[in-house]
Amino acid sequence: MTDGDDGPASADEPDPTSAALDEFARHWARSLTRVSYVPVRPDDLRERLRGYAERLTGPEDGTVVAREIGMALVAEGFTHVAAVSVTLATLVDLLPVPPAEHAVVPPVADPPSGSAVAAGPAVASHAAVPSDSALPPGAAVAHRPDPGPGAAEVADPSPRAALLGALAAGYARGLRERTQGELESIIRAVLTARRSAERARVASEARFEALFVSSASGICVIDLEDRIVQANPALARMLACPVVDLQRRRLTGLARREHRVAVGQAIRELTSGERTHAELEAAFGRADGGTVWLRLSLAPVLDDGGEYLVVTAQDDTERHHLQSALSHQALHDPLTNLPNRTLVLRHLHELLGRRTGTGQVGICYLDLDGFKTVNDSFGHAAGDDVLRAVADRLATCAARPGWLAGRLGGDEFVIVAGDGADLDQLVRVAERLVDIVRRPIPAAGHQLSVSASVGVTDDRIPHHQPADLLRAADVALYWAKAAGGDRYEVYDAGRHDAQALRSTLGSGLRVALHQDDFVIRYQPIVRLRDGVPVGAEALLRWTHPEYGPVAPEIFIELAEELGLIGQLGKWVLTRGCRQAASWYREFGDRAPFVSINLSARQLHDVGLADELLATLDEVGLPAGQLQLELTESALLGPAQGPADALEVLARHGVRVAVDDFGTGYSNLAYLRRLPVRELKIAGAFVEGLTPELSGTPADRQIVASVVGLAHGLNLTVTAEGVETREQAQLLRSMGCDHAQGWWFARPGEPELLSRMVAGRQAHPVAFAPAR
């Protein structure tokens, strides 16, 4: 190498061509990513593009390489039209060429016509000469040298254009092949899908045909006019009709008359689009005259031929019959097959809901009298025969439109009269019921006779709900039984209210006894010859918190019915003895005795004498200051216990008086065997001593006879209910010993007796006016 030559570049100096290729790759990568997106990392893309650049500037045939690069860009995914544009622009502006010494084109054989120039460095240099301004500083630019002697002819005078055209042609070919490949893929996919769809359709039709023919469910296709287009054998079997005979028939026409409206309504709603699915149960007629219950499911479908409805049917006949049987059992009595209480109440509710103003809804409530005796004497089989016979007889009485006979349980039956029945008609039915039940009934080999009590009511009662009517009829039935049975009673609201009041008072009576709400008022017993009070009758009084003062005859009777009279009697005895003891401590021998009424139940209580004597001892009252009043009915009877108790008390000094003498049995034998000391003439006889009354002479004779009889037996006589001066005068003239009544004083507080005994309050004598 001469001194004037540059010589080879130092190893430490950078290669200008390599730097130019790097810059070219970066620029190319940026241009592509701006116009097209390919999922590749930027560094990988630059490396790939630099490799393409190296090949373009290398020794390979440039046009072949350019064509391959164009096709490669398409394969990489740069299919947007702008990708080839920016690529071509980048190649024109920035593609570097090899160093100058490699730019000479070596001699080559004559190339084929139309082929690219011979491969070699010279070709590459001719094809890739950029503008000087586009190269980096120091980069070598190959210039076309003048051909020397013997040099080969240079290739195409425009190699850059050949490169660009080859790349564009390769890109176009790649894009065309890609497009064609995608199109072929689409066509293959379409053909595959079509073949699959066809196979699926054929398979589906085959499955449907198999299902349609072999299905155990009935299936039919109907058009929008409700005509059967196609039906399967299962439906034909359900309807007992050949398949061919079902063609073109209307589905609603096959249904029973009572269900045609429901089936037609479902079809109309489906065809109009109001619903997309319908299910219902309906009865259909069979060709053999029978009935089959089908559960239908209907849904619309679209076909090439138009819109249809597919109907599937399940045979529900057996379930329907079973359900009907269970429903019948739930609403009917198993022994008599009459409607039970549930169905009776339902029927009543329906009748009351649609009642008109022309009549009433009524009830005859029947209960057999003494039916337990039939079961006990002849057995339950006989009792069942009687119940069935009574049920049949009731059914004949209720064989009218809107009427119903039912069994409520046990030996209780009912007839419900429909709208239009009046009370007179119900009474006639009740009379007939009482009569037909009396007729002999063959039962278990016997001819048995029973009777019935019937309660009658209609809906003209307060709160006429079904339960109210049954309750009212039951109350009337109770009245019929209380009257001896074998009769009927008509419900009366007033009578029921009175009983309801008694029930309320009975409940209040228990509370009052528990809470000590009773009071005692004392009515003086006066000696007629001088008007001095010698005793006082203890009279029990009760004020109900809601109804006010209750008459003694009402709550005493209630206490007897409820079994409270014993407790109530003990309470009165204890309080009365305490008050008498108080008077005795205050007045000594002048203290009035206390007279207390004793009930028959108390008289028969074991231990009466011991308890009473213990009470006297506890309160400090001498036995002679206590008088026990008993009615004649309480004293009469064969039992020896009451007589013994009275004998014991009398021996201790307790006084015994007969209350309301003359109104009882008037059997005077007890006056000889019982320790009676006083007779109290009933106020009814004293009332007759008034001159204005027509019965005065007879009453006067009765009173005079009682006074004479009592005195003949050494008994004291007390007249009750003295209210006038004339009565007091007449009784005194007859020799009556004592008297009590409003003429002398009304029942009052204990202080009234204290003031009279002490003389602080004037008391009327037989001939003085009351004050």
Side-chain angles (χ1 to χ4, degrees):
M1 182 178 296
T2 63
D3 293 338
D5 294 336
D6 292 336
S10 173
D12 295 334
E13 294 179 3
D15 184 359
T17 301
S18 177
L21 289 176
D22 289 339
E23 179 63 23
F24 172 75
R26 281 195 295 272
H27 183 78
W28 193 3
R30 284 197 303 270
S31 299
L32 284 177
T33 55
R34 280 198 300 267
V35 298
S36 183
Y37 170 76
V38 173
V40 62
R41 295 174 61 243
D43 292 343
D44 294 341
L45 179 60
R46 284 195 297 272
E47 287 298 323
R48 197 170 302 170
L49 295 179
R50 191 182 189 286
Y52 293 160
E54 288 178 351
R55 292 187 62 193
L56 284 172
T57 59
E60 298 181 68
D61 186 345
T63 55
V64 174
V65 172
R67 188 177 297 109
E68 291 177 357
I69 292 174
M71 295 178 67
L73 288 174
V74 174
E76 294 285 348
F78 296 101
T79 57
H80 195 277
V81 67
V84 69
S85 299
V86 299
T87 296
L88 295 175
T90 303
L91 291 176
V92 171
D93 294 338
L94 298 178
L95 181 65
V97 294
E101 60 269 19
H102 298 294
V104 178
V105 179
V108 295
D110 291 337
S113 176
S115 65
V117 290
V123 173
S125 65
H126 287 308
V129 178
S131 62
D132 296 339
S133 62
L135 292 176
V141 179
H143 295 280
R144 185 189 301 263
D146 293 333
E153 291 288 332
V154 296
D156 184 353
S158 180
R160 187 181 297 274
L163 276 177
L164 297 178
L167 189 144
Y171 185 88
R173 181 178 177 180
L175 194 60
R176 183 173 62 252
E177 290 177 355
R178 178 186 177 98
T179 302
Q180 177 139 8
E182 291 177 349
L183 181 60
E184 289 175 356
S185 297
I186 293 173
I187 292 173
R188 283 194 299 271
V190 169
L191 292 176
T192 301
R194 179 178 296 176
R195 285 193 296 270
S196 298
E198 183 65 20
R199 286 195 297 268
R201 184 186 66 80
V202 173
S204 176
E205 288 180 354
R207 286 195 299 270
F208 174 77
E209 186 66 23
L211 177 65
F212 187 78
V213 173
S214 63
S215 174
S217 300
I219 305 174
C220 68
V221 179
I222 62 175
D223 59 20
L224 299 185
E225 295 181 356
D226 186 25
R227 296 189 183 277
I228 297 177
V229 176
Q230 191 177 6
N232 73 339
L235 182 63
R237 288 192 297 270
M238 292 176 186
L239 299 176
C241 180
V243 173
V244 66
D245 291 346
L246 293 176
Q247 301 290 336
R248 307 307 299 168
R249 293 192 63 179
R250 295 184 183 276
L251 184 64
T252 53
L254 297 173
R256 289 296 187 190
R257 186 179 303 275
E258 61 271 21
H259 293 109
R260 290 177 185 173
V261 173
V263 176
Q265 178 69 20
I267 293 174
R268 284 191 297 273
E269 290 178 354
L270 288 169
T271 55
S272 64
E274 296 179 35
R275 302 169 64 181
T276 58
H277 183 262
E279 288 190 2
L280 73 156
E281 187 180 69
F284 285 78
R286 289 169 52 91
D288 57 10
T291 298
V292 58
W293 283 84
L294 300 180
R295 179 170 293 277
L296 303 179
S297 178
L298 301 89
V301 294
L302 290 175
D303 199 342
D304 295 340
E307 185 175 0
Y308 299 91
L309 295 180
V310 174
V311 182
T312 59
Q314 302 291 335
D315 190 343
D316 242 12
T317 305
E318 185 175 349
R319 186 196 63 81
H320 178 79
H321 290 331
L322 177 60
Q323 184 175 354
S324 298
L326 293 175
S327 177
H328 182 86
Q329 292 176 12
L331 298 175
H332 290 77
D333 173 55
L335 177 65
T336 64
N337 203 34
L338 289 179
N340 61 12
R341 178 182 291 271
T342 300
L343 186 54
V344 167
L345 288 173
R346 182 184 299 178
H347 184 66
L348 263 175
H349 185 78
E350 292 174 355
L351 289 176
L352 292 172
R354 64 172 185 261
R355 184 182 68 254
T356 66
T358 58
Q360 288 78 40
V361 177
I363 292 179
C364 292
Y365 200 137
L366 180 145
D367 183 89
L368 299 181
D369 299 327
F371 178 70
K372 185 176 183 299
T373 304
V374 175
N375 283 330
D376 294 343
S377 302
F378 301 97
H380 288 279
D384 291 346
D385 290 342
V386 170
L387 293 175
R388 281 190 287 264
V390 171
D392 292 340
R393 296 177 185 183
L394 258 70
T396 61
C397 295
R400 309 182 189 187
W403 288 43
L404 178 142
R407 182 188 180 196
L408 300 183
D411 58 343
E412 295 181 347
F413 298 85
V414 67
I415 287 181
V416 178
D419 191 12
D422 56 28
L423 191 58
D424 292 338
Q425 188 176 12
L426 292 171
V427 167
R428 290 193 296 271
V429 172
E431 291 173 343
R432 186 182 175 196
L433 288 174
V434 172
D435 178 64
I436 64 174
V437 172
R438 289 195 197 109
R439 300 172 188 173
I441 298 174
H446 303 277
Q447 290 290 325
L448 303 181
S449 295
V450 296
S451 62
S453 300
V454 181
V456 180
T457 188
D458 58 21
D459 61 349
R460 292 176 297 180
I461 62 171
H463 315 295
H464 46 268
Q465 296 299 317
D468 298 324
L469 263 69
L470 282 178
R471 185 164 49 250
D474 194 21
V475 169
L477 170 64
Y478 172 80
W479 296 341
K481 281 192 171 294
D486 194 24
R487 56 181 292 139
Y488 71 89
E489 287 285 348
V490 179
Y491 176 78
D492 177 68
R495 181 178 176 182
H496 184 220
D497 290 343
Q499 288 189 338
L501 175 61
R502 286 176 62 85
S503 177
T504 303
L505 292 177
S507 300
L509 191 65
R510 294 181 185 275
V511 176
L513 186 60
H514 179 72
Q515 296 181 353
D516 201 12
D517 287 343
F518 294 96
V519 296
I520 297 178
R521 296 290 180 260
Y522 297 91
Q523 186 173 44
I525 300 175
V526 178
R527 193 163 52 214
L528 280 175
R529 72 170 184 265
D530 55 12
V532 174
V534 294
E537 182 177 0
L539 301 175
L540 187 62
R541 296 292 184 263
W542 175 43
T543 300
H544 191 274
E546 180 179 354
Y547 297 104
V550 182
E553 57 269 21
I554 293 178
F555 71 78
I556 292 297
E557 183 181 353
L558 277 175
E560 292 275 5
E561 292 178 3
L562 299 174
L564 301 176
I565 193 66
Q567 300 178 50
L568 198 58
K570 285 183 181 180
W571 188 88
V572 175
L573 278 171
T574 302
R575 294 300 177 90
C577 289
R578 286 177 182 171
Q579 183 56 52
S582 176
W583 286 329
Y584 184 77
R585 287 191 296 269
E586 182 179 359
F587 299 109
D589 293 339
R590 294 188 302 122
F593 64 83
V594 63
S595 186
I596 300 175
N597 290 277
L598 202 65
S599 69
R601 185 185 182 97
Q602 287 177 278
L603 186 60
H604 286 77
D605 283 345
V606 177
L608 169 67
D610 293 338
E611 290 181 5
L612 191 52
L613 292 175
T615 300
L616 294 176
D617 184 62
E618 178 185 350
V619 301
L621 179 67
Q625 295 298 111
L626 172 63
Q627 177 172 280
L628 300 179
E629 296 187 16
L630 301 103
T631 61
E632 292 181 81
S633 59
L635 290 169
L636 291 176
Q640 187 63 29
D644 293 342
L646 291 178
E647 288 288 352
V648 172
L649 292 172
R651 283 198 303 269
H652 282 80
V654 176
R655 307 159 63 97
V656 178
V658 179
D659 192 18
D660 290 334
F661 184 80
T663 61
Y665 298 95
S666 298
N667 183 351
L668 302 180
Y670 67 87
L671 294 177
R672 293 188 297 106
R673 63 183 179 86
L674 294 177
V676 177
R677 292 182 55 179
E678 183 171 340
L679 297 182
K680 299 189 74 173
I681 301 174
F685 298 114
V686 175
E687 184 180 359
L689 299 181
T690 303
E692 292 80 7
L693 297 178
S694 58
T696 297
D699 290 337
R700 184 177 301 177
Q701 186 62 42
I702 291 173
V703 172
S705 299
V706 171
V707 172
L709 173 64
H711 287 168
L713 296 174
N714 291 324
L715 302 178
T716 303
V717 180
T718 299
E720 297 179 302
V722 179
E723 296 184 355
T724 65
R725 177 182 178 182
E726 290 78 9
Q727 291 172 339
Q729 289 175 335
L730 189 55
L731 288 168
R732 181 180 180 182
S733 66
M734 292 179 179
C736 184
D737 302 296
H738 303 150
Q740 66 184 86
W742 285 11
W743 170 251
F744 303 101
R746 293 173 180 258
E749 300 288 342
E751 290 76 12
L752 171 65
L753 269 296
S754 298
R755 290 194 299 269
M756 292 180 68
V757 172
R760 296 193 300 271
Q761 177 169 325
H763 45 272
V765 293
F767 306 104
R771 299 182 182 180

